Amino acid sequence: MFGEYGLYCDRKYFGLVCDNQLFVKITEPGLKLLPQQEQGSPYPGARPHFLMTELDDDRALSSFVRATCSVLSAPDVLSGKKKKASGEKRNRRP
């Protein structure tokens, strides 16, 4: 995959660090907070992400990340629940 660092907040994957650059998933709250934020792909074949260049204001960055994570969902895999394949019948006992 990307080979560097994946970033999580409350079990939600929100971004990554590649080549000493911080990339954050693009979300509606992120676009509202930073509509002119530069975008880029963290590695070949990746979806575009916000390329965060202003890293000195930790409060602003934290608020931005929390707003981004507020609309992301935690994966079911981490919760210990397994999804049934569509069309798969459940075993029910009488």
Side-chain angles (χ1 to χ4, degrees), residues 37-50:
Q37 184 62 40
E38 183 180 350
Q39 298 178 15
S41 292
Y43 55 91
R47 291 183 178 156
H49 285 61
F50 289 119

Side-chain angles (χ1 to χ4, degrees), residues 37-93:
Q37 184 62 40
E38 183 180 350
Q39 298 178 15
S41 292
Y43 55 91
R47 291 183 178 156
H49 285 61
F50 289 119
L51 174 57
M52 306 305 294
T53 54
E54 295 297 321
L55 304 176
D56 293 332
D57 187 346
D58 59 335
R59 287 185 182 197
L61 185 58
S62 176
S63 294
F64 179 78
V65 167
R66 293 209 177 272
T68 296
C69 291
S70 72
V71 296
L72 300 176
S73 58
D76 286 338
V77 175
L78 294 177
S79 68
K81 297 178 184 177
K82 290 186 178 182
K83 289 186 174 182
K84 297 230 179 244
S86 62
E88 184 179 328
K89 294 182 182 178
R90 293 182 181 174
N91 291 331
R92 294 186 184 197
R93 296 184 180 166

